[in-house]
Amino acid sequence: MKFWERTNRYLWMSVAMLLVCGLAAFAQAPAAAPPAQAVAAPTSAQATPAPAAAPAAAAPAMDVPLDIKAAAPPSADDLAKGDPGGTKTGTVSDVVAADTKKGLTLADVVNQAGQNRIAINFVWTLIAGFLVMFMQAGFALVETGLTRAKNANHTMMMNFMVYGFGLFAFWVCGFAIQMGGGAPYSTLGGITGLNGEYSISVFGKPFGLWGTHGFFLSHGGAYDVGAMVMFLFQMVFMDTALTIVTGTCAERWKFAAFAVSSVFMGAITYPLYANWAWGGGWLAQLGSNYGLGHGYADFAGSGVVHSVGGLTALAIGMQIGPRIGKYTRSGKANALPGHDIVLVLTGCFILAFGWFGFNPGSTLAASGNGALRIASIAVNTMLAGCTGSFGAILYMWMRYGKPDASMAGNGLLAGLVAIRVDDCVGAISVHGTCGLWGVISVGLFADGTSNYGGSWNGVNGSVTGLFYGDASQLVAQFIGVGTLVGFVFTLSYVAGWIIDGIIGHRVSASDELAGLDIPEMGALCYPDFVLKPEREIVPAMAVGD
Amino acid sequence: MKFWERTNRYLWMSVAMLLVCGLAAFAQAPAAAPPAQAVAAPTSAQATPAPAAAPAAAAPAMDVPLDIKAAAPPSADDLAKGDPGGTKTGTVSDVVAADTKKGLTLADVVNQAGQNRIAINFVWTLIAGFLVMFMQAGFALVETGLTRAKNANHTMMMNFMVYGFGLFAFWVCGFAIQMGGGAPYSTLGGITGLNGEYSISVFGKPFGLWGTHGFFLSHGGAYDVGAMVMFLFQMVFMDTALTIVTGTCAERWKFAAFAVSSVFMGAITYPLYANWAWGGGWLAQLGSNYGLGHGYADFAGSGVVHSVGGLTALAIGMQIGPRIGKYTRSGKANALPGHDIVLVLTGCFILAFGWFGFNPGSTLAASGNGALRIASIAVNTMLAGCTGSFGAILYMWMRYGKPDASMAGNGLLAGLVAIRVDDCVGAISVHGTCGLWGVISVGLFADGTSNYGGSWNGVNGSVTGLFYGDASQLVAQFIGVGTLVGFVFTLSYVAGWIIDGIIGHRVSASDELAGLDIPEMGALCYPDFVLKPEREIVPAMAVGD
Amino acid sequence: MKFWERTNRYLWMSVAMLLVCGLAAFAQAPAAAPPAQAVAAPTSAQATPAPAAAPAAAAPAMDVPLDIKAAAPPSADDLAKGDPGGTKTGTVSDVVAADTKKGLTLADVVNQAGQNRIAINFVWTLIAGFLVMFMQAGFALVETGLTRAKNANHTMMMNFMVYGFGLFAFWVCGFAIQMGGGAPYSTLGGITGLNGEYSISVFGKPFGLWGTHGFFLSHGGAYDVGAMVMFLFQMVFMDTALTIVTGTCAERWKFAAFAVSSVFMGAITYPLYANWAWGGGWLAQLGSNYGLGHGYADFAGSGVVHSVGGLTALAIGMQIGPRIGKYTRSGKANALPGHDIVLVLTGCFILAFGWFGFNPGSTLAASGNGALRIASIAVNTMLAGCTGSFGAILYMWMRYGKPDASMAGNGLLAGLVAIRVDDCVGAISVHGTCGLWGVISVGLFADGTSNYGGSWNGVNGSVTGLFYGDASQLVAQFIGVGTLVGFVFTLSYVAGWIIDGIIGHRVSASDELAGLDIPEMGALCYPDFVLKPEREIVPAMAVGD
């Protein structure tokens, strides 16, 4: 009896998990998500002045006033009457002239075309970044809904503050370490100041380790509108990685340890790996330096976001240990049901909404050089989410013969927590495992149809995987995986170990049993509602024994 | 006593209803929402090569390098220092040159102008589509808030999974049936591959029945960025229609029957009617073939989305019957109050937010051919929502003399459920009735001020209704209404009848009384909270007797 | 005992407060948020026909067909096959030709460049407006979460209806009063119809008092797509100010008094001050008329939105008095804990999301004249939010030595409510005080690096404050502050006093103790959940005595 109490979480967890899993995998899938990379190939498609070649005689004059009457601009009367149909608004009169006394020239028109392109890219990337930022609300609701009511304040607050902590760390040094050597950002206006990458020499080749420009977003040319767009978008990506850990360690993590861990991860762990993958660091250079395919390829963060987050969650989750009551004496896992499914599924909706920023926004462009593929990426994101949730429900349905799926949730549970880390929301499986798979899959399945604006990581041609002829790309991907497991996990483990020694990761057992809201946060989440006494909930766990 | 328990739902329901009602009606109102249609008139405003007419002597040379120095591009030093004010970013240097060795030509500038236009259209339509997708969260919250706590998991889960089921069905065949014959999509780049409409001949004219290209979004030219934008936007529209049914049938619908019904509706019912109205099918051809106005005109889905959804809800709602306790022996309706008004109104906010994508996004464009009227449509959407909610509250206030509106809710109830279908959230009235009214109102009130880019459904000139001189447009609209009631309702009824025979629409009475969350979903929605025993809620219904 | 029950609200309140405080201050910070103003300097940067100067001989011909083959448009075969990579879509073929028979001319290309610029500005400003509209959901959740469960329906409903009431008032006359004299709106297409400002003469200079065009959004040239964008964006700003008052007066405000107050504020109070600051009224003219800096400068509404809202909240809050139980006999403040922290923090997330529309959207542009600084504003918005929440948590942590912060919440309380107005959600401090500070800070810290497109309020050059050499700008800002405190507060106080006399602001004591949901709204918010009896909550207040 009460069997349902321990099953509901896992049902939803698995739905969310497959959804996320699918999103990560599809975003990485070869032909599916083929956008241009910010860092790669900045100049190849940029307009550069023609070399010595003198303009031919017939070149139209750039600097003489155009006969704008020929373009039939709206009359003063038109402007006064108003334009309800939108047919007279937006004309030659709205092209900005550099010198209004002189009048509009062809040079102004050309500049306007460039301005429009960059403005479109700004609008797209900023809005995509806003959507990714909003995903924090989704994570907060999913994680809080999957925890028990006595910990709801604490879980919600971790998710809320991770935005502030992470942004602070990223502003201080994270952005500089990650992107301080990655300029020029060709789709965002071509800023060149953030070009200081600290490198050592390995086998006679530069081996980039971290960026050195852009601290506090003001140093080294970072006080620039293009750099701001890049900061905003990269920051919300980083934030997504940080929030993965709060899901795993919920219901028992000391708020102080959480705060320090998050700042460290946003300042050091994430930016280092992101520099190597996206900021011009050594993983990105594997192709141009050592001939390994196009270097490590990681489009929308399978490795950078999901694996870094998932592996850090694993490291800290191993140190913090399972929740009280999670495992029976014989080692069997109990379900600790979350307290509000409306929150969980609302959070999933918000995540699916924000994901439309995450993947399609990763092009950092909407106009020029094939950036219209944002449409293709958006649809793939949608299909991946569908496939994930559809797959989860179908799996449970077919296997257990009925849609209630309660046993299905329990069944899935075994596989999910088999590693014996108590992961409150399944974050390690969702992000860590699926993320690593995403990284490897590029090395296997990339079919060469996406040319990433002509090159990726400075290597001309298209990325292809083992099954399409380039085994060396797979090697580059495996080096990435090795770095994630060998370096990122180790760094997170050591940092977590130090924090554990100084602060302690885990609250006291009595606080944990009473719920973290009072001892850690000083306030109940739902003071007006009558909650079931613990004894009504606990026995359900015994059944699973 | 306890009179309030049976009244709260109807208050909010009526608010939401009028809000939706207003939105649907206004979006359809003649002068109010006059955007271009995707399918209509693709080539008329497209640039096409000048015919034989040779370029005049003074035509500026397209293919010689421009003197870009005259446009004063930013210097290397400018780019290195950063541009905090945004005044040096986005210039001639950002216009993409096809041949960087040769340098930037006028041809590149012209191409950039076209690329920018399509990019703007993509960005607008995609983001509008994201907003519409997010409406699913709104529907989920409104519907769940209006049901009882014992069914919250089930209602939430139906709304969550309808996204996956519907998308799957639409991807397999729905999109092909709907839009597979509707190309070219002129505002999205002019793709022509999806042009296979299966037609029969009626009175010597083609009578389009369904599209034949685009299955699995890969067949027949569908693997295209413009087709992807169209798919994403049409899919989320379809999803909106599907979710109408879950509202009506909540608290008693078997999850398996829901799943099969949703897949059928997303694969067949909706796409068929949408093809006839929007995909170049016979309703759209009524004007060009038989001289009935501009053919059936349905801008943002009054008929396609709201009526199809509402009529399907009616068909299944009639088969599934009212909830236990809904009607007394004497036939009087009881109120079954929803369990969380915060959810209901939060959902309404999300719907109002997403509606800014629904109506204004229906232009599928923001640049060119009068697409700037997106502003007008957005404001009308806003005013319609305001008018709806304002009207609802005023009506209740004036009629019952006090703002508490509790009796007002009850009073409105009679009218709303007079058809004797127990519609949990009032979806049939909101979507079905108002949707049909929206279709007819075009045939009455269209005043000819919106010219839809010069033609609609291939008939030149503007759409006008009966009161503005074109009675034949009203005929076309009534043919649409007849098709909805005659064909769509019948198809849904028959499909529902078959599903009822095989699966059964309705859960057992004991499951319904206990709540669907355990028997259908296997988990309570709120396991930690103490709920009132049923006996405290049930007596309230007796009062209504 | 139960000490936590009275502390939780204040913790979150202070977090939210500092967050908002930071946002308001940063948005106003000198070098940080330097966008162009809608009203100012409309023509200076607009393209205007070259004066007498005849086009030079080499001016390229505008009206002869271009050799578009040189631009290599996609072939029919390309269009039929589809373009998965997005590299063939968006070309010369998508530039709209005015005369398709003649073919594409340079004039068409120039018009397309202008159309694209305005379309980008429309898309940006509309989406920003949608985001601001969605902030209403955030306010609703924050306010409702901070009230007690027995008032949740009432608080939610006030926040929901304020959107309808406010929009109605703004549509009838608010927009006309505010912006009816503010045209042309240069970034939105240059409409000139809304140019009727009623002015008197003061010291021989025009002294603008209110706009006279644009009533019902149809009069005086308002039926225009550019005016619609302006209406939508200004309306959601106004709505933000209105919702500040509902937070302060929650849990005791009669719904009828709320309705009338909101309509008055949206129709008169807000639009008047907004006209003076943004619509070309006398505060904006202080610079050009009397040499006081650039006139009153208020970028994203520190004064117009936050101070007007906060001061109106103060005026009505003083009249309505504190909630029963708020203060002990000895005058000490008790905490009345909110009932749902998940709602509070979810609301904060939504507010942070919407704020990306609020501040960056205030440029009303994304392309041309330095509008790319939207990136800088977005990042400053983000950093301000981070700084605010980070600062709040650090303050409490450092001061009280532990992260639980429960006492911190209580400590902060004293300062927050020292003015002895019972402000349920701290809105007066957050919006009123911080807003006034934002206004003054411009007069102190503006460093002249933002040139607002060359002028602000018609005065050439950049805005600088006292510390950067222009004391007269500080005078202009103080005149604004004086007007807010002297006029806006007084007007709100008098209006509130009249409403109090006729309707009465406050519900009866018995209704207040029982909760407003039944007597005012006629329905409980959570009818299925068991709430704690009042006696379990009330004693907690005694402890604070």
Side-chain angles (χ1 to χ4, degrees), chain A residues 426-477:
Chain A
I428 296 169
S429 306
V430 173
H431 298 281
T433 313
C434 297
L436 291 176
W437 168 241
V439 171
I440 295 169
S441 67
V442 169
L444 295 173
F445 304 117
D447 64 1
T449 57
S450 21
N451 77 354
Y452 301 95
S455 79
W456 177 272
N457 286 331
V459 180
N460 286 330
S462 301
V463 176
T464 48
L466 177 67
F467 298 153
Y468 293 86
D470 187 359
S472 72
Q473 183 65 45
L474 183 60
V475 175
Q477 300 305 104

Side-chain angles (χ1 to χ4, degrees), chain A residues 8 12 117 149 224 367 404 532, chain B residues 83 94 116 157 521 523 528:
Chain A
N8 65 337
W12 311 116
R117 177 181 164 229
D224 173 272
S367 175
D404 80 19
K532 290 181 188 164
Chain B
D83 174 24
D94 299 296
N116 285 344
M157 190 63 175
M521 296 289 106
D528 289 8

Side-chain angles (χ1 to χ4, degrees), chain A residues 196-519:
Chain A
E197 179 79 5
Y198 176 80
S199 295
I200 56 175
S201 180
V202 174
F203 300 121
K205 300 283 185 180
F207 195 88
L209 292 178
W210 56 75
T212 61
H213 288 185
F215 293 95
F216 295 96
L217 203 47
S218 55
H219 159 270
Y223 193 20
D224 173 272
V225 291
M228 297 281 177
V229 176
M230 184 63 92
F231 176 87
L232 190 141
F233 197 77
Q234 298 298 339
M235 185 268 145
V236 292
F237 259 56
M238 178 279 303
D239 211 31
T240 303
L242 259 63
T243 208
I244 293 170
V245 188
T246 62
T248 295
C249 300
E251 302 199 286
R252 61 207 187 280
W253 206 5
K254 263 190 201 164
F255 202 78
F258 146 74
V260 175
S261 293
S262 298
V263 170
F264 180 80
M265 189 179 169
I268 305 292
T269 317
Y270 179 95
L272 271 183
Y273 191 76
N275 175 270
W276 302 344
W278 290 341
W282 67 273
L283 282 171
Q285 296 168 317
L286 287 175
S288 54
N289 282 350
Y290 309 110
L292 294 175
H294 288 67
Y296 174 74
D298 187 352
F299 172 56
S302 243
V304 176
V305 177
H306 298 288
S307 300
V308 168
L311 288 168
T312 301
L314 177 63
I316 300 180
M318 286 168 67
Q319 293 167 5
I320 203 168
R323 287 166 292 173
I324 295 172
K326 180 65 199 176
Y327 295 104
T328 64
R329 258 176 242 106
S330 60
K332 213 170 153 190
N334 283 319
L336 301 177
H339 79 287
D340 193 333
I341 285 176
V342 173
L343 298 186
V344 175
L345 290 182
T346 302
C348 285
F349 272 124
I350 293 176
L351 288 175
F353 178 50
W355 234 296
F356 283 125
F358 203 91
N359 288 341
S362 291
T363 55
L364 304 171
S367 175
N369 284 330
L372 293 176
R373 65 187 69 169
I374 53 175
S376 174
I377 305 170
V379 168
N380 275 297
T381 299
M382 178 181 244
L383 285 173
C386 158
T387 309
S389 61
F390 198 56
I393 201 87
L394 272 191
Y395 171 83
M396 294 181 287
W397 210 329
M398 288 187 300
R399 177 150 178 192
Y400 297 95
K402 61 182 194 135
D404 80 19
S406 66
M407 285 303 113
N410 253 348
L412 236 62
L413 174 67
L416 295 176
V417 297
I419 49 171
R420 223 48 201 311
V421 170
D422 176 16
D423 181 355
C424 300
V425 302
I428 296 169
S429 306
V430 173
H431 298 281
T433 313
C434 297
L436 291 176
W437 168 241
V439 171
I440 295 169
S441 67
V442 169
L444 295 173
F445 304 117
D447 64 1
T449 57
S450 21
N451 77 354
Y452 301 95
S455 79
W456 177 272
N457 286 331
V459 180
N460 286 330
S462 301
V463 176
T464 48
L466 177 67
F467 298 153
Y468 293 86
D470 187 359
S472 72
Q473 183 65 45
L474 183 60
V475 175
Q477 300 305 104
F478 270 119
I479 292 176
V481 170
T483 307
L484 284 163
V485 175
F487 178 81
V488 171
F489 175 80
T490 305
L491 178 62
S492 291
Y493 196 91
V494 170
W497 184 80
I498 294 171
I499 291 168
D500 198 26
I502 297 172
I503 301 175
H505 275 305
R506 185 145 188 165
V507 299
S508 71
S510 62
D511 284 356
E512 186 176 343
L513 285 170
L516 275 64
D517 281 3
I518 297 299

